Amino acid sequence: MLQEAESRFGSAARIRLEDWQTLIKDITPLSEEKKLKKTNEFFNEKVRFVNDIDHWGEKDYWATPVETLATHGGDCEDFSIAKYFTLLQAGVDDSKLRITYVKATTLNQAHMVVTYYPTADAIPLVLDNLVRSIFPSNLRKDLVPVYSFNGRDVWNNQDRGRGKRLGPSTGIDAWSQLKQRMTSSDIRQPIENTSPLTGRKS
């Protein structure tokens, strides 16, 4: 996978992926608070924001963490997906993590973040690519939660609480397709700045 990333996207792509592997190794023994902080900082600093339509030629494409890092770009879903799976790999239990679909009121648009529940009844912490620091959700008045999901379940969060369970997250097609693609070593080619002759980014 590292060789493929380097051959197709350059040495910087390989370095980003190696840095990601190092991050997971380094944060695994740390406290969960430090895991959250370092993961949030890593992706907010390493990945540039690019809209799906510009990057992939699709209105809504959920990239794997490898695709996001190798192609050096992603939107809010891709930031959230990468942070979620990094925290899982670093030992944070899935029951504490959710990917949460919200309305960002300052932008007046849909947005996605990672939420972390240290305990079942706790106010979750929000990991966001728009805001560098991690804040409790009750301090993020600019975000209105709609629904959330993790590897097992999906919840309705419109009342700002922990939410009502709606069923298994396998019902989210984009999520199921993403998890299937994560078992493959293939890295999708973005469309931006791509030569039609070589398929390489210029």
Side-chain angles (χ1 to χ4, degrees):
M1 180 266 291
L2 291 173
Q3 291 175 346
E4 180 187 359
E6 183 173 16
S7 66
R8 294 176 58 197
F9 306 106
S11 59
R14 181 178 184 129
I15 291 170
R16 285 190 296 272
L17 290 168
E18 289 176 333
D19 287 347
W20 179 44
Q21 292 177 325
T22 299
L23 170 74
I24 294 171
K25 180 181 178 182
D26 289 348
I27 68 174
T28 295
L30 302 181
S31 68
E32 292 191 345
E33 180 181 357
K34 290 182 178 178
K35 290 177 182 179
L36 296 176
K37 183 175 185 294
K38 290 183 177 295
T39 297
N40 199 53
E41 289 175 348
F42 179 87
F43 287 99
N44 287 356
E45 292 172 2
K46 291 280 186 183
V47 179
R48 64 197 174 99
F49 181 89
V50 189
N51 288 316
D52 281 340
I53 197 69
D54 296 325
H55 199 51
W56 302 111
E58 294 183 22
K59 185 177 179 180
D60 190 28
Y61 178 75
W62 291 15
T64 68
V66 170
E67 289 173 326
T68 297
L69 287 167
T71 64
H72 190 36
D75 66 359
C76 60
E77 291 97 335
D78 304 323
F79 277 86
S80 298
I81 289 164
K83 293 173 186 180
Y84 169 85
F85 281 109
T86 298
L87 291 168
L88 282 184
Q89 287 294 309
V92 179
D93 192 88
D94 195 30
S95 64
K96 295 182 176 182
L97 295 171
R98 296 187 190 177
I99 296 176
T100 302
Y101 179 86
V102 299
K103 180 178 179 180
T105 58
T106 54
L107 300 176
N108 193 31
Q109 67 183 40
H111 184 50
M112 198 168 275
V113 298
V114 173
T115 46
Y116 165 80
Y117 293 77
T119 61
D121 58 351
I123 295 173
L125 301 175
V126 179
L127 285 70
D128 188 356
N129 66 292
L130 296 177
V131 177
R132 298 183 70 86
S133 299
I134 297 173
F135 292 103
S137 63
N138 62 335
L139 297 182
R140 293 297 307 274
K141 304 299 185 183
D142 57 316
L143 303 180
V144 179
V146 180
Y147 74 90
S148 61
F149 60 94
N150 61 16
R152 290 174 288 197
D153 299 302
V154 57
W155 295 265
N156 182 329
N157 290 98
Q158 293 183 359
D159 58 359
R160 278 193 177 271
R162 188 162 174 86
K164 177 182 178 182
R165 183 182 180 275
L166 299 177
S169 57
T170 52
I172 303 174
D173 290 342
W175 181 238
S176 297
Q177 293 166 11
L178 167 74
K179 291 197 292 183
Q180 288 178 352
R181 292 199 316 276
M182 287 186 64
T183 63
S184 169
S185 60
D186 183 54
I187 305 172
R188 181 172 174 175
Q189 178 75 39
I191 66 165
E192 57 170 352
N193 301 322
T194 301
S195 165
L197 297 178
T198 66
R200 293 178 181 272
K201 293 184 73 176
S202 56

